[in-house]
Amino acid sequence: QVQLQESGPGLVKPSGTLSLTCAVSGGSISSSNWWSWVRQSPGKGLEWIAEIYHSGTTNYNPSLESRVTISVDKSRNQLSLKMTSVTAADTAVYYCATYQALLGFDSWGQGTLVTVSS
Amino acid sequence: DIQMTQSPSSVSASVGDRVTITCRASEGISTWLAWYQQKPGTAPKLLIYDASSLQNGVPSRFSGMKSGADFTLTISSLQPEDFATYFCQQASRFPWTFGQGTKVEIK
């Protein structure tokens, strides 16, 4: 299994943009995985945000799609997430994870806490 | 979205007890259900997929099954390391959705 490590600012101002990266080690981001972002907040539990295949095919949660962009950087072997117009409701621990069809999320990063506050 | 409802929200049990957690989907998802275990401060860990298939390395005291519209996760003999929160997740249709979690606490 691959190892995943999220990074990014822990504090984002309301109406700002949240930007996170996920470094992939022990495997290639060009492998046959769906690369996902999932977040967890006390109020909403676990929420799937988006996923991307190495080919560039993406799927988004319709509730977030208008504000979210997921991408891969093959040269850096990393996954990225951008979320615009954030509010306090976006405060959560953000995880990157691999998703195997018909299996589930089988590898997870350790998660990174993002707080939206002025 | 497919809503996943878990019950109970928490359960108190002792080491050696048999514990069963239930998850119900708001619509049919065939057997496309996974179960995860999460301990405080750590990421969820995949335990079971396809409703009843054990992920590699997961102890055999964990089992899953589907009965009608209900999915169950059973821990046959609770061990100290099993005290955690458990989530179900449907893998049938976008967007992937999770149950709200069941916390297994020490009695």
Side-chain angles (χ1 to χ4, degrees):
Chain A
Q1 284 185 336
V2 296
Q3 290 79 52
L4 307 170
Q5 176 80 49
E6 305 90 346
S7 61
L11 182 65
V12 181
K13 293 187 187 310
S15 77
T17 297
L18 179 162
S19 295
L20 298 174
T21 59
C22 173
V24 178
S25 58
S28 171
I29 203 158
S30 296
S31 63
S32 299
N33 282 320
W34 285 91
W35 304 92
S36 289
W37 288 97
V38 177
R39 68 181 182 180
Q40 185 172 31
S41 61
K44 293 197 73 174
L46 286 162
E47 182 178 31
W48 171 73
I49 300 170
E51 65 182 20
I52 185 168
Y53 200 61
H54 66 84
S55 62
T57 302
T58 57
N59 293 301
Y60 290 95
N61 190 323
S63 67
L64 298 167
E65 184 169 11
S66 63
R67 299 192 292 127
V68 169
T69 303
I70 189 172
S71 61
V72 295
D73 185 332
K74 294 181 182 179
S75 65
R76 296 186 177 186
N77 215 37
Q78 69 182 28
L79 174 70
S80 295
L81 177 74
K82 286 193 189 311
M83 180 181 293
T84 60
S85 305
V86 297
T87 70
D90 296 310
T91 293
V93 175
Y94 286 75
Y95 295 100
C96 58
T98 57
Y99 185 81
Q100 305 287 347
L102 310 181
L103 195 83
F105 298 96
D106 62 338
S107 293
W108 297 69
Q110 88 284 356
T112 187
L113 174 63
V114 177
T115 301
V116 179
S117 175
S118 55
Chain B
D1 297 4
I2 298 175
Q3 305 303 316
M4 306 301 296
T5 303
Q6 283 183 239
S7 61
S9 56
S10 66
V11 57
S12 294
S14 301
V15 173
D17 283 354
R18 181 182 183 90
V19 172
T20 297
I21 299 166
T22 298
C23 181
R24 176 173 288 197
S26 60
E27 56 188 86
I29 59 170
S30 185
T31 58
W32 304 129
L33 183 109
W35 288 99
Y36 301 84
Q37 176 194 66
Q38 187 178 32
K39 297 180 181 178
T42 70
K45 172 189 172 185
L46 178 64
L47 296 177
I48 286 172
Y49 62 94
D50 195 18
S52 61
S53 297
L54 210 60
Q55 174 69 335
N56 290 341
V58 174
S60 58
R61 63 181 179 273
F62 291 92
S63 63
M65 66 178 292
K66 178 183 179 182
S67 178
D70 288 341
F71 297 86
T72 57
L73 171 70
T74 298
I75 310 171
S76 60
S77 177
L78 200 63
Q79 298 302 299
E81 61 268 30
D82 301 336
F83 291 97
T85 300
Y86 295 84
F87 297 91
C88 59
Q89 176 244 325
Q90 63 84 14
S92 176
R93 191 157 57 83
F94 289 117
W96 312 133
T97 48
F98 294 83
Q100 79 279 16
T102 296
K103 188 172 185 179
V104 177
E105 300 174 300
I106 300 172
K107 193 171 186 178

